[in-house]
Amino acid sequence: MSGETLSSYGTVKASGSSVTVRYALPVFHELDFVANEGYRRIPHGGIETGCLLFGKREQDSIQIEAFRLIECEHASGPAFVLSAKDIEKLHTQIQEAGADPELTGMEPLGWFIAHTRGELALTAADAALAKDLFRRPWQVTLLVKPEKFKPTKFVFVNAGAPSSEITANLFTLPVLKGRSVRQEESSSPGPRPRRRRSPDNT
């Protein structure tokens, strides 16, 4: 994990875990866009989305460098609740991720879930699926909550983390250089989920 521009990364602790997470800011601004795009799609909470997180690890430290969208047919409505068909596809997506040349040298580090319709906490369904898919102690769940006219809230959390610890570990992203919060909210370019961003490309 050397050779990167430190200003292109953020660092935070995962709630309920000893894992330290470093995350590429350009990648997380794209995740922010994905979550907010879903939030704006329909009134009263929007459409929730999810993504797989990829990167590198060293003992109790992980570094997130890329993401891939998780397909959800939203059979139960706009919340991010995966059907049996969705879960089957997700297992295949994780197993075949190594064939993606843009993910060379990376491994699945966990997943991202946009909570646009509820609190920033793992649901029972989230926790059960995370336990099935991400069994390594260094794999994490990233919860994201967009809010109108406010910065998007992020938190890394494991099952069983107390609410006080989750609240203490909430973070927001710095505004991209040369752009206002209003410009961030009205930005129209779509996310590029299949492109691995260079750490120096801010």
Side-chain angles (χ1 to χ4, degrees):
M1 297 186 185
S2 61
E4 68 271 359
T5 302
L6 295 179
S7 61
S8 297
Y9 287 82
T11 303
V12 70
K13 292 290 290 186
S15 303
S17 170
S18 62
V19 174
T20 298
V21 183
R22 299 188 68 236
Y23 53 94
L25 288 171
V27 171
F28 268 53
H29 278 289
E30 291 186 355
L31 283 172
D32 190 4
F33 185 93
V34 169
N36 276 278
E37 185 181 48
Y39 178 59
R40 292 190 295 263
R41 282 180 62 184
I42 61 174
H44 311 300
I47 301 289
E48 293 183 344
T49 55
C51 302
L52 291 172
L53 303 173
F54 294 89
K56 306 170 186 177
R57 64 181 175 93
E58 282 185 2
Q59 299 179 341
D60 288 336
S61 176
I62 62 174
Q63 184 164 296
I64 298 170
E65 300 280 1
F67 69 93
R68 295 292 182 265
L69 293 171
I70 294 172
E71 184 175 339
C72 178
E73 61 182 355
H74 292 285
S76 301
F80 186 73
V81 178
L82 299 179
S83 66
K85 181 179 178 181
D86 293 330
I87 293 172
E88 183 178 353
K89 288 183 177 181
L90 180 54
H91 277 281
T92 301
Q93 184 180 6
I94 293 172
Q95 293 168 3
E96 296 180 351
D100 186 337
E102 294 182 348
L103 298 177
T104 299
M106 301 188 200
E107 56 188 310
L109 300 180
W111 63 341
F112 147 114
I113 308 172
H115 275 213
T116 64
R117 312 184 70 83
E119 298 301 318
L120 270 178
L122 281 174
T123 66
D126 293 339
L129 192 52
K131 184 177 180 180
D132 176 47
L133 294 171
F134 309 110
R135 301 179 181 181
R136 304 299 180 95
W138 40 264
Q139 290 179 311
V140 294
T141 295
L142 173 64
L143 301 181
V144 184
K145 186 171 182 60
E147 294 183 290
K148 193 173 184 179
F149 305 126
K150 294 181 181 180
T152 302
K153 295 176 182 177
F154 295 78
V155 67
F156 288 96
V157 60
N158 281 355
S163 58
S164 59
E165 187 174 347
I166 293 174
T167 300
N169 289 330
L170 288 172
F171 64 98
T172 59
L173 301 179
V175 175
L176 287 173
K177 188 175 182 180
R179 297 169 68 88
S180 67
V181 173
R182 178 67 63 182
Q183 286 173 318
E184 285 293 298
E185 291 176 348
S186 62
S187 177
S188 60
R192 294 178 288 278
R194 293 203 54 81
R195 179 183 174 190
R196 180 183 174 186
R197 300 295 296 271
S198 166
D200 293 325
N201 184 6
T202 57

